[in-house]
Amino acid sequence: MLILLELDTPREDIEKIKEKIIAKGCNAHEIPGSSKLAIGITGSTSNLKEDDFRIMKSVQEVVRVSHKYKLVSREMKKEDTVIDINGSKVGGKELTIIAGPCSVENHDQIFKIAEILKNLGIQFLRAGAFKPRSSPYSFQGLKEEGLDLLAQVKKEFGLNIVTELLNPYNTKEVAEVADIIQIGARNMQNFALLEEVGKTGKTVLLKRGLSATVEDLLLSAEYIAAQNNFNIILCERGIRTFETSTRNTLDLNSVPVVKKYSHLPILVDPSHGIGIGEKVPAMAMAGIAAGADGLMIEVHHKPEEALSDGFQSLAPDTFENLLNKLKQLAPVVDKTLG
Ligand code: PEP
Ligand code: MN
């Protein structure tokens, strides 16, 4: 259920409404918006009567939300969510490009790639310190040492850091370094982890699970929002299908569908989506054409030497070419690229 109020509603009236919600055994969430103030109600709302709230002072409208996910739904908030990360906006008119290697490998590698990306005008550096690998014998990431390197590179180049949180025990140390905490595909339904990351208040990049539906993805985002953290960026990274000629099947259908049902921004990760470096630019363009708010792309200064996902990583010159093409495409979908 959703209660709509004028933006200038006195605090006293807001608190009275919230008290009544809590007294009925439900949770009240103030939802930020630019034209209206909304209070989302979660919990067993079947016991609530709309009219009990309609008669309260300052209440303009009371609406039932029909989807299983509530706080992240378009019904709850009509306008798109725009997230401000140290002055860079995600979800607005400007496309967001997150780029970098799959993993932090060593000092020289991450500094070299960060320098290249900074010179190309990139504001978000991605790189995993904790890596979820299908095989226990594959490179698992530099872990704490990787986080230290990310902290150094952030200081040197002023880039926003996007890095994955694999398990709840590392939440504090990852949150200290990350400007955006990534929750990977394999953890999309690790609900304890989602609650933990929600509590940090940090922006979360939530990647779609390997066999998750769009509804599953939005319900996982709801776990984070239920912690009163609305700084959530969704990411389409491909799903498992019967097709074996590509690593995954990049389900670009999800982009306009998510836009219809949710106010959250969505990025496309064509690198994991197709898994073939030379085909990544085509799917990156397709993602933007489908209406994504930006891209997450794996870039490595020497893809052939990468310790993980080298085959799908772009070399800097290919990445630069792609950026130039994206600049031409952006205005077609009413976006800009700086
Ligand atoms: C990654 O971004 O490197 C990664 C492991 O992604 P995913 O969780 O989508 O497989
Ligand atoms: Mn990867």
Side-chain angles (χ1 to χ4, degrees), residues 177-191:
V177 176
D179 299 285
I180 299 179
I181 302 177
Q182 176 172 325
I183 298 295
R186 288 153 194 84
N187 268 321
M188 190 205 82
Q189 287 189 313
N190 182 340
F191 303 118

Side-chain angles (χ1 to χ4, degrees), residues 102 126 131-132 164 182 184-186 207 237 272 296 298:
C102 183
R126 64 142 291 144
K131 292 305 302 177
E164 180 161 351
Q182 176 172 325
R186 288 153 194 84
K207 300 191 83 176
R237 48 77 72 206
H272 294 84
M296 175 146 99
E298 286 184 335

Side-chain angles (χ1 to χ4, degrees), residues 243-254:
E243 181 57 67
T244 53
S245 61
T246 52
R247 182 173 178 183
N248 289 294
T249 296
L250 187 61
D251 176 23
L252 292 179
N253 292 348
S254 70

Side-chain angles (χ1 to χ4, degrees), residues 71-294:
L71 301 170
V72 304
S73 74
R74 206 37 108 179
E75 289 168 284
M76 204 58 109
K77 187 175 170 217
K78 297 265 173 297
E79 72 217 72
D80 290 342
T81 285
V82 180
I83 304 171
D84 187 313
I85 300 153
N86 304 316
S88 301
K89 299 215 164 45
V90 180
K93 232 177 145 51
E94 175 78 12
L95 291 173
T96 299
I97 309 291
I98 301 175
C102 183
S103 312
V104 189
E105 297 169 9
N106 55 59
H107 178 280
D108 289 357
Q109 174 248 15
I110 197 67
F111 270 70
K112 181 78 205 157
I113 297 171
E115 186 187 12
I116 292 168
L117 294 175
K118 180 83 190 182
N119 288 334
L120 291 174
I122 296 300
Q123 294 164 344
F124 294 92
L125 174 72
R126 64 142 291 144
F130 297 95
K131 292 305 302 177
R133 303 305 301 278
S134 299
S135 162
Y137 309 117
S138 302
F139 176 59
Q140 303 286 313
L142 295 182
K143 303 183 177 163
E144 283 81 0
E145 190 192 335
L147 286 181
D148 278 353
L149 290 171
L150 286 174
Q152 289 174 37
V153 97
K154 174 173 168 169
K155 207 166 156 204
E156 174 79 19
F157 297 102
L159 288 159
N160 293 305
I161 301 294
V162 184
T163 198
E164 180 161 351
L165 175 65
L166 259 192
N167 79 58
Y169 307 115
N170 300 116
T171 306
K172 193 164 168 278
E173 54 201 309
V174 170
E176 264 165 26
V177 176
D179 299 285
I180 299 179
I181 302 177
Q182 176 172 325
I183 298 295
R186 288 153 194 84
N187 268 321
M188 190 205 82
Q189 287 189 313
N190 182 340
F191 303 118
L193 186 64
L194 296 176
E195 284 179 352
E196 218 42 52
V197 79
K199 284 182 200 152
T200 65
K202 284 260 166 171
T203 300
V204 180
L205 178 85
L206 179 64
K207 300 191 83 176
R208 182 177 179 183
L210 277 71
S211 54
T213 63
V214 168
E215 184 181 69
D216 293 334
L217 174 65
L218 293 176
L219 282 168
S220 288
E222 185 79 12
Y223 268 89
I224 301 166
Q227 301 299 323
N228 288 323
N229 184 349
F230 292 88
N231 300 323
I232 307 164
I233 305 166
L234 304 170
C235 182
E236 169 58 53
R237 48 77 72 206
I239 50 173
R240 281 255 165 100
T241 67
F242 52 80
E243 181 57 67
T244 53
S245 61
T246 52
R247 182 173 178 183
N248 289 294
T249 296
L250 187 61
D251 176 23
L252 292 179
N253 292 348
S254 70
V255 176
V257 173
V258 160
K259 287 277 170 206
K260 176 170 159 67
Y261 292 118
S262 175
H263 52 83
L264 296 175
I266 179 163
L267 305 183
V268 165
D269 168 359
S271 307
H272 294 84
I274 192 160
I276 307 163
E278 71 181 49
K279 306 297 178 205
V280 164
M283 296 316 287
M285 297 284 279
I288 296 306
D293 296 288

